[in-house]
Amino acid sequence: MLRANCVGRGLRNASAAVVLFAAIGAPALRGQAVIPLNKPKPRPGVNRPAAQPAATTVAPARPKLVVMIVVDQMRGDYVDKFRGQWTGGLKRLVEEGAWFRDAAYPYAATETCVGHATISTGALPATHGMVANAWWDRETQKMTTCTADPKATNLGYAGASAKGGDSAWQMLVPSFAEELKFQTGNATRVVTFSLKARAAITMAGHKADTATWFEGGGWATSTAYGTMPFIETYASAHPVKADYGKTWTLTLPENAYWYDEKATGAVPPQGWDLTFPHALRGKADSTAADEAFYEQWSASPFADTYLTLLAENAVDSLGLGKGGGVDFLGVSYSSVDYVGHEFGPRSREIQDVLVRLDQDLGDLFANLDKKVGRGNYVVAFSADHGVVPVPEDMQRTGADAGVLHLPEVQERIEKALETLNYPKPAVARITGSDVYFVPGVYDKLKCDAPAMSAVMDAIKKVPGVAEVYRAEQLADRPATQSPIRQAMADSYLSGRSGDLFIVPKPYWLMDGTATGKTRSYATGHGTPYNYDQHVPILLMGYGIQPGEYHGYATPADIAPTLASLCGITLAPRDGHVLGEALAKQGAKQGKSKQE
């Protein structure tokens, strides 16, 4: 039985991680003279060993370039479903790479910022601290995004509007890319791109040569990273608004698509209907690029193509893979996520956007073959999370599926505390699965068993709720036989996470849309179920033994595996080296099935 703890835990876990990061990452010894130890004098009567010839210094074998590719919201089953229609880069990854078929996140917070930070650091959210895309800041009593930095200022390229400030300062451990640059010297260049700041930034880490994302109709970075001339030149010559008027049409013959012409439960972006073709023309009455156009563009294959061209331009302009260090290129493709939210996983749009991404990745790999050399670079490919089936679509199968309305949860909590001498409102915010109470309320609840019981019972009566956990049940990641509780605990960080945590039933979508309003998207993610946790892991290139691997793996294993290939050590990690996929010493790259 859980005992109430009336003393707040504060930021113990977060503070410990910050101290650890400072201890590991501080470059205190760089530039200091090294004082040699005095050599011991030979003892009388002991023969001195014969002088040995000086050993020839041989540089350790390493890849010339590490390429990290993340496809936002790419479920693991997409590879099995659609690979027969791929002819380019995705096909090459499957056929020439090491494919971990049973890869999944072990935690519940299956969101973009969390997944990218996990892939980047080799740690779980309870360790790296990026517990959600955004969380309730108890000090300011406001929401904060995972990358919001009050000391940074965002900078727009080619006249683009950039607001606020973003960096990785809230990530509590360094990224693989950071450690690569710190441990192997400044010859390493770190370059990342994405439509989303939280993706580009978490792949890069706290410091990088450039971290670039899409904002305000153009491309942006922040003072934490600084600008790069080649991006300014490219963004000026190729503005996104030049894609205004393009049309997304089906790539394959219509009979090649598995799903209905209109996806059940789909909520397309403004200006689009439920059927192809999808014209990028913004609002119905627009004649030039507007906010609706940029939303359409982000949810189209044209955005993926642009990111690919940016990445190729970085390779060409900076000579990535040709310098004195191991360079790092990170690209996170966001369009699959936007398409999935709007049309769901059983849609022609998802099928087609992956066909187009396959072509883009084929072009990217061909460019790397030419400029870096086939076998000289290693690719790590994964996704940050999966996606919940659209509830209305799932209901057609007869399954227990629906929408868990979070505003109803808040209403029932307030009603349960109405007569028990608690502040009104008692709830400060519900975001995702996390319930945050106003200051002082949860400390009081922990010492008031009847009131706590009333709150827990009220939440469990909301349709779609499977379980509710208290923070004390998740702190310090306790050993448990419950995979759901373990997944919730792996997502928990004291001081950032909520006070109570809601677990939805399988196939129930958590939705924060205000009562009486229609939700603005088809589906989402962020649950501890396999459709959200199962993602692909594919490794290809330098040091990788191709094949299909059926042992359990997690995206937290990617950074340790890359670190092993590059001869560096990570900060405390939760993942492990995927040694079964590493080629024997001396073998640069395993052969493909066709060779």
Side-chain angles (χ1 to χ4, degrees):
M1 183 175 180
L2 182 69
R3 296 182 179 179
N5 180 359
C6 302
V7 180
R9 291 180 179 268
L11 287 168
R12 185 184 64 185
N13 292 351
S15 299
V18 170
V19 171
L20 182 60
F21 175 40
I24 294 172
L29 297 179
R30 284 197 296 178
Q32 295 184 8
V34 178
I35 302 174
L37 297 175
N38 292 327
K39 295 182 179 179
K41 296 180 179 179
R43 290 179 292 162
V46 177
N47 293 329
R48 296 183 181 181
Q52 299 294 320
T56 302
T57 302
V58 179
R62 296 189 179 106
K64 294 181 178 180
L65 174 66
V66 173
V67 182
M68 182 177 287
I69 297 174
V70 183
V71 179
D72 202 321
Q73 204 191 107
M74 184 169 179
R75 278 183 16 175
D77 61 320
Y78 289 169
V79 180
D80 273 313
K81 286 180 180 178
F82 304 130
R83 62 176 173 147
Q85 298 179 334
W86 297 338
T87 60
L90 290 173
K91 178 182 180 181
R92 182 171 165 184
L93 281 165
V94 173
E95 295 188 350
E96 298 183 19
W99 177 16
F100 289 84
R101 299 184 63 111
D102 193 27
Y105 288 99
Y107 56 74
T110 43
E111 296 186 357
T112 296
C113 189
V114 190
H116 281 80
T118 298
I119 294 169
S120 174
T121 64
L124 301 183
T127 302
H128 62 59
M130 304 300 245
V131 296
N133 288 341
W135 55 82
W136 183 253
D137 188 308
R138 289 179 170 87
E139 183 176 343
T140 63
Q141 290 292 289
K142 294 179 180 179
M143 290 294 293
T144 182
T145 64
C146 64
T147 58
D149 181 355
K151 295 183 179 180
T153 302
N154 288 346
L155 309 167
Y157 283 106
S161 172
K163 299 178 181 179
D166 292 276
S167 80
W169 80 288
Q170 298 192 95
M171 196 162 77
L172 301 179
V173 295
S175 68
F176 160 80
E178 281 182 88
E179 291 285 22
L180 180 66
K181 192 176 184 72
F182 175 66
Q183 294 181 35
T184 62
N186 287 328
T188 290
R189 279 82 57 81
V190 175
V191 178
T192 65
F193 299 101
S194 179
L195 297 189
K196 299 180 181 181
R198 56 185 175 269
I201 287 171
T202 48
M203 285 193 301
H206 301 77
K207 296 292 182 182
D209 293 272
T210 179
T212 307
W213 57 90
F214 186 67
E215 181 179 338
W219 299 94
T221 183
S222 85
T223 51
Y225 306 103
T227 58
M228 293 290 279
F230 82 89
I231 301 177
E232 176 72 25
T233 300
Y234 191 85
S236 298
H238 306 280
V240 170
K241 64 183 179 182
D243 281 345
Y244 179 84
K246 288 186 176 180
T247 300
W248 178 14
T249 58
L250 291 175
T251 308
L252 304 175
E254 189 168 358
N255 61 8
Y257 293 88
W258 295 8
Y259 305 117
D260 294 339
E261 185 179 15
K262 297 181 180 180
T264 302
V267 183
Q270 185 178 7
W272 284 5
D273 57 26
L274 295 175
T275 59
F276 278 98
H278 299 306
L280 277 64
R281 295 186 178 277
K283 296 178 181 178
D285 58 349
S286 73
T287 57
D290 58 9
E291 186 176 347
F293 158 75
Y294 290 116
E295 181 182 354
Q296 295 166 355
W297 182 82
S298 298
S300 78
F302 301 111
D304 286 344
T305 299
Y306 198 110
L307 283 169
T308 302
L309 292 170
L310 266 178
E312 291 178 3
N313 196 256
V315 172
D316 297 345
S317 299
L318 300 179
L320 296 182
K322 295 182 178 180
V326 181
D327 291 327
F328 178 89
L329 172 65
V331 187
S332 175
Y333 291 96
S334 310
S335 295
V336 172
D337 182 69
Y338 293 129
V339 172
H341 278 297
E342 294 160 354
F343 293 95
R346 287 177 14 96
S347 64
R348 293 185 177 186
E349 282 78 8
I350 276 291
Q351 193 171 346
D352 196 81
V353 76
L354 288 171
V355 169
R356 298 284 289 271
L357 178 61
D358 168 66
Q359 296 172 358
D360 286 325
L361 289 178
D363 292 341
L364 177 61
F365 296 156
N367 185 67
L368 292 173
D369 289 345
K370 181 179 179 181
K371 300 298 174 62
V372 183
R374 189 184 181 97
N376 289 329
Y377 61 92
V378 61
V379 178
F381 176 97
S382 192
D384 51 356
H385 54 75
V387 63
V388 181
V390 177
E392 292 83 357
D393 194 24
M394 200 68 198
Q395 287 168 352
R396 297 168 61 193
T397 70
D400 178 19
V403 178
L404 195 172
H405 294 286
L406 296 176
E408 184 177 349
V409 173
Q410 183 163 349
E411 291 169 10
R412 295 208 183 197
I413 294 174
E414 300 291 356
K415 188 172 182 180
L417 295 176
E418 202 169 43
T419 61
L420 299 177
N421 195 30
Y422 279 79
K424 190 173 183 179
V427 176
R429 183 82 177 212
I430 299 179
T431 175
S433 64
D434 294 36
V435 179
Y436 295 83
F437 288 96
V438 299
V441 168
Y442 191 63
D443 287 337
K444 184 177 178 181
L445 279 173
K446 287 189 290 185
C447 300
D448 186 348
M452 180 71 82
S453 179
V455 167
M456 301 289 276
D457 290 344
I459 296 173
K460 290 177 181 179
K461 290 179 181 177
V462 176
V465 173
E467 186 56 88
V468 186
Y469 289 106
R470 295 168 54 179
E472 306 93 281
Q473 294 174 286
L474 308 180
D476 300 323
R477 295 159 75 175
T480 173
Q481 294 298 312
S482 168
I484 298 296
R485 182 181 172 190
Q486 186 64 60
M488 301 299 288
D490 285 340
S491 303
Y492 176 83
L493 183 72
S494 178
R496 289 186 182 175
S497 299
D499 300 312
L500 299 179
F501 304 87
I502 301 165
V503 180
K505 293 180 179 178
Y507 302 113
W508 281 71
L509 173 69
M510 291 186 293
D511 177 46
T513 304
T515 303
K517 292 189 176 181
T518 303
R519 72 179 189 271
S520 58
Y521 57 97
T523 190
H525 43 83
T527 74
Y529 298 116
N530 197 50
Y531 45 68
D532 275 346
Q533 294 176 323
H534 180 38
V535 296
I537 292 180
L538 292 146
L539 306 173
M540 181 185 77
Y542 182 97
I544 300 301
Q545 181 63 46
E548 294 184 12
Y549 299 88
H550 296 269
Y552 176 72
T554 166
D557 300 334
I558 292 173
T561 304
L562 294 175
S564 179
L565 282 173
C566 295
I568 67 168
T569 300
L570 294 181
R573 70 183 200 220
D574 297 304
H576 74 284
V577 176
L578 297 170
E580 60 269 43
L582 298 185
K584 293 180 180 180
Q585 187 174 6
K588 277 190 175 182
Q589 180 180 3
K591 294 186 178 183
S592 71
K593 295 179 181 179
Q594 282 74 30
E595 293 177 330

